[in-house]
Amino acid sequence: MPANGVCSVGLEVIEDNATYASGSDSAGVSEDEDVQQLFVSGADRVTSVLPKKSDIRKASQVDEQAAAAAAAAAVSEKRYASLPNREQHQQFLTQFLTEVLNSAVFNATDRANKVLNWVDPEELQRTLDLALKDEPDTHEKLLELTRATIRHSVKTGHPYFMNQLFSSVDPYGFAGQVLTDALNPSVYTYEVSPVFVLMEEVVLREMRTIVGYPDGEGDGIFAPGGSMANGYAISCARHKFMPDIKTKGLHALPRLVIFTSEDAHYSVKKLASFMGIGSDNVYAIKTDNVGKIRVEHLESEILRAKSEGALPFMVSATAGTTVIGAFDPLEQIADLCAKYNLWMHVDAAWGGGALMSKKYRTLLKGIERSDSVTWNPHKLLAAPQQCSTLLTRHRNILAEAHSTNATYLFQKDKFYDTRYDTGDKHIQCGRRADVLKFWFMWRAKGTAGFEAHIDKVFENAEHFTSSIKARPGFEMVIEQPECTNVCFWYVPPGLRGVPRDSAEYRDRLHKVAPKVKERMMKDGSMMITYQPIHDKPNFFRLVLQNSSLDKSDMNYIIDEIERLGKDL
């Protein structure tokens, strides 16, 4: 099948090309090869009844058709078998990967193409073939479904997708992701995942070194998202202060209290609820006019919790808040944690990438004094989803808090050093090798490449900020953004004459961003999110982490918002 796109991808066929049998998507046999064995499933070998090709050519037309039908039936019968077979799958997989590379990678990231092709949910349900069936689809039908899936999906790798705290299709990260799926590992013991167990330890140690933990010592894990990484931090902190929780449960605990910013990620409250601490026991600390924790309010809330008879045990600071991109004053928070003997966690899921830059790592000054850090390479460093880490300075605390020593998996009498069986410190059992794509990117770019990436996205944010400050109708929510979140209002010409302190102005301004967002999505021209915060009406939040963008892209974004909203 010819691929349509901006590139032509050819994949080498190691053996003779497979051909589809007439009337079927099933692969036939090559002209010069006798195929007596089509399928292998474990130790069980199933021998086909196909005649030799030379015999088929000598047979009558009827016999030839019967043989083709028998071949098709034989292949069809074994479609359920979970083993790649060169004759059956090579041509399909070659076509599939060509389609993915052309349509989902190269075309999808071309500025000339749309970010999405918007279809209302009811219409998409009618037009997209999602029904599950008793009988298998042909390979051609599967390729058709592949094209439809790509066509109707948001192209998050597109330069103008700036809607969430992730974006881009990094080519080396993509390669690592493909290899991960091909190998399909589960990272819990050295015996089943030797490369990835060692790879994780190398990457996590280097990340701890970059955070500033002495000699990179401590511990760490890859977690399924920043929310879970924050949950691990809460679990480790609780275990440090109340180790009996592991065996005696919540009945052994006093009322525990966590402190975090009122602008912190919702996962702190959600995981505290999930773990039985209770969302009411997450005390929200007020922020200042640029979104940073008010340290004086933090101390007063610590004292309040103590006066109530509760046990304060943890502060979760934020390095790069979700909306504003604010960095809490980590050094002052570290002083309070030392004063009151509290675990200091830093949720740097978003802003942690700035640690890779000598110029911008000062935003996280004091993080080296923390007990634990959440850092998501899939955010500011643009690794593929998902790639999240929890780093801690405390050796063995993850295992102490979570291990159960299951003897069917973590046997201590194995023939190798079982220190390399790292899975017991996770609350998961089966776990993807999220490290590979990040390690592969790191080897492809080097630490210097990550630094250049960070410097570029911050440069873009700074250019965008200065540009909209100079453009009539654009107003900043935070005058000087710290991170690459740029929060701003667009005020259409028809609203600029309305008194700013009037209810009409606020109500109309609140509706501008949602309407512009609707138009940009229906046009497919870009995706930028919006939200209110505290008493502020809806505003745009541009988040930049794709280092392929340049100043002309920043100008395009401004012009496009103006085009879509000037009549509102």
Side-chain angles (χ1 to χ4, degrees):
M1 180 195 71
N4 297 319
V6 296
C7 74
S8 178
V9 179
L11 300 182
E12 180 183 359
V13 178
I14 299 175
E15 295 187 359
D16 292 331
N17 288 335
T19 57
Y20 287 146
S22 176
S24 168
D25 65 329
S26 307
V29 294
S30 67
E31 289 292 324
D32 301 318
E33 184 179 21
D34 293 337
V35 180
Q36 295 296 328
Q37 189 176 62
L38 291 182
F39 305 102
V40 180
S41 180
D44 179 35
R45 297 176 179 270
V46 180
T47 303
S48 95
V49 294
L50 290 178
K52 293 182 179 181
K53 199 71 175 183
S54 57
D55 293 336
I56 294 176
R57 281 194 290 264
K58 297 175 182 177
S60 66
Q61 184 68 27
V62 174
D63 290 339
E64 187 174 356
Q65 291 174 351
V75 172
S76 179
E77 286 173 4
K78 297 298 291 185
R79 179 68 75 84
Y80 66 83
S82 301
L83 187 71
N85 177 281
R86 191 177 300 279
E87 285 74 24
Q88 186 178 5
H89 300 118
Q90 180 167 290
Q91 183 171 342
F92 166 70
L93 289 175
T94 300
Q95 291 176 313
F96 173 81
L97 290 172
T98 299
E99 188 68 52
V100 168
L101 286 171
N102 281 324
S103 300
V105 176
F106 294 112
N107 281 352
T109 58
D110 190 329
R111 286 170 175 79
N113 294 327
K114 292 183 176 183
V115 177
L116 74 159
N117 296 291
W118 175 259
V119 179
D120 288 329
E122 295 80 7
E123 182 183 349
L124 189 58
Q125 283 183 321
R126 288 192 302 269
T127 59
L128 195 59
D129 181 6
L130 296 177
L132 301 177
K133 302 180 295 185
D134 289 337
E135 297 303 318
D137 282 320
T138 65
H139 283 172
E140 183 52 47
K141 178 63 175 179
L142 294 175
L143 291 170
E144 178 188 320
L145 294 172
T146 300
R147 290 187 287 270
T149 299
I150 296 170
R151 183 167 59 252
H152 292 295
S153 292
V154 175
K155 312 308 185 293
T156 61
H158 195 287
Y160 299 144
F161 176 86
M162 296 155 285
N163 203 66
Q164 259 74 41
L165 302 183
F166 71 91
S167 71
S168 79
V169 178
D170 184 272
Y172 302 107
F174 172 76
Q177 186 92 301
V178 170
L179 182 54
T180 301
D181 287 343
L183 294 172
N184 193 31
S186 189
V187 190
Y188 35 59
T189 63
Y190 180 83
E191 65 179 295
V192 298
S193 203
V195 174
F196 303 120
V197 164
L198 299 179
M199 190 181 286
E200 282 191 342
E201 293 308 304
V202 168
V203 171
L204 291 168
R205 175 177 284 274
E206 186 63 22
M207 294 178 77
R208 291 193 298 268
T209 301
I210 291 169
V211 165
Y213 295 156
D215 299 319
E217 288 296 318
D219 204 351
I221 54 175
F222 279 80
S227 292
M228 289 304 299
N230 286 337
Y232 273 113
I234 295 171
S235 179
C236 289
R238 184 173 66 174
H239 182 83
K240 182 175 184 294
F241 284 92
M242 302 292 295
D244 284 350
I245 181 64
K246 185 175 181 180
T247 54
K248 297 181 180 178
L250 299 177
H251 298 290
L253 298 181
R255 181 167 71 89
L256 300 178
V257 175
I258 301 170
F259 307 91
T260 196
S261 161
E262 62 182 341
D263 293 343
H265 192 264
Y266 66 82
S267 60
V268 178
K269 183 173 287 189
K270 179 173 285 191
L271 268 295
S273 176
F274 179 79
M275 296 169 65
I277 293 170
S279 58
D280 286 350
N281 292 315
V282 178
Y283 286 18
I285 307 305
K286 294 177 182 177
T287 55
D288 60 19
N289 59 356
V290 293
K292 298 175 181 288
I293 271 184
R294 294 183 182 272
V295 177
E296 68 280 3
H297 186 236
L298 172 59
E299 184 166 24
S300 69
E301 287 294 271
I302 294 170
L303 295 173
R304 176 169 77 89
K306 284 178 169 289
S307 70
E308 295 168 346
L311 178 64
F313 77 106
M314 178 182 184
V315 176
S316 181
T318 309
T321 55
T322 303
V323 177
I324 300 298
F327 290 78
D328 286 337
L330 301 182
E331 289 188 299
Q332 296 175 59
I333 292 171
D335 290 341
L336 284 182
C337 287
K339 180 177 180 180
Y340 293 104
N341 190 31
L342 305 177
W343 181 285
M344 180 184 174
H345 175 62
V346 180
D347 180 0
W350 172 229
L355 290 166
M356 304 294 276
S357 166
K358 291 184 286 291
K359 181 177 181 181
Y360 294 101
R361 67 170 291 123
T362 55
L363 291 167
L364 297 99
K365 189 177 181 181
I367 195 171
E368 69 281 357
R369 297 174 62 187
S370 67
D371 292 283
S372 59
V373 173
T374 291
W375 179 0
N376 288 6
H378 73 238
K379 291 188 174 175
L380 203 50
L381 292 179
Q385 288 270 31
Q386 62 192 17
C387 190
S388 304
T389 64
L390 185 280
L391 312 167
T392 176
R393 67 168 58 250
H394 302 280
R395 290 179 59 85
N396 301 321
I397 194 166
L398 283 159
E400 292 168 4
H402 306 127
S403 64
T404 57
N405 298 307
T407 56
Y408 59 84
L409 188 59
F410 303 111
Q411 304 95 328
K412 300 304 181 185
D413 55 353
K414 293 179 179 179
F415 64 92
Y416 59 86
D417 188 343
T418 56
R419 288 181 303 152
Y420 295 103
D421 289 355
T422 58
D424 208 14
K425 64 185 177 182
H426 294 258
I427 59 173
Q428 295 171 266
C429 182
R431 189 168 59 84
R432 285 176 54 85
D434 289 329
V435 64
L436 177 55
K437 55 204 169 194
F438 184 41
W439 175 88
F440 207 78
M441 288 175 64
W442 208 328
R443 290 297 295 263
K445 301 167 185 283
T447 304
F450 277 137
E451 179 172 25
H453 164 86
I454 291 296
D455 290 349
K456 181 64 181 295
V457 294
F458 272 87
E459 176 189 323
N460 283 336
E462 290 158 6
H463 176 78
F464 185 88
T465 298
S466 62
S467 296
I468 62 172
K469 284 182 177 181
R471 183 78 71 98
F474 289 85
E475 299 181 8
M476 298 295 296
V477 176
I478 300 295
E479 197 66 20
Q480 293 296 333
E482 284 191 292
C483 199
T484 64
N485 315 43
V486 185
C487 300
F488 61 95
W489 289 285
Y490 172 64
V491 183
L495 188 54
R496 295 172 196 171
V498 178
R500 295 299 182 93
D501 57 355
S502 66
E504 178 192 357
Y505 180 84
R506 180 184 176 85
D507 291 344
R508 287 178 60 185
L509 182 60
H510 190 65
K511 297 173 182 176
V512 170
K515 192 63 181 178
V516 172
K517 175 67 176 291
E518 175 189 347
R519 290 176 175 179
M520 72 172 69
M521 289 190 67
K522 288 183 175 179
D523 282 2
S525 59
M526 60 186 184
M527 281 184 68
I528 299 173
T529 193
Y530 69 89
Q531 66 283 301
I533 190 171
H534 305 311
D535 61 343
K536 293 178 171 61
N538 280 323
F539 54 86
F540 291 104
R541 180 196 62 171
L542 176 72
V543 286
L544 295 167
Q545 70 262 55
N546 188 334
S547 54
S548 69
L549 275 66
D550 55 28
K551 292 180 180 178
S552 66
D553 294 309
M554 301 302 101
N555 296 335
Y556 166 83
I557 295 164
I558 298 168
D559 292 342
E560 184 67 2
I561 290 175
E562 197 169 51
R563 180 186 74 84
L564 294 168
K566 62 184 178 182
D567 64 331
L568 297 176

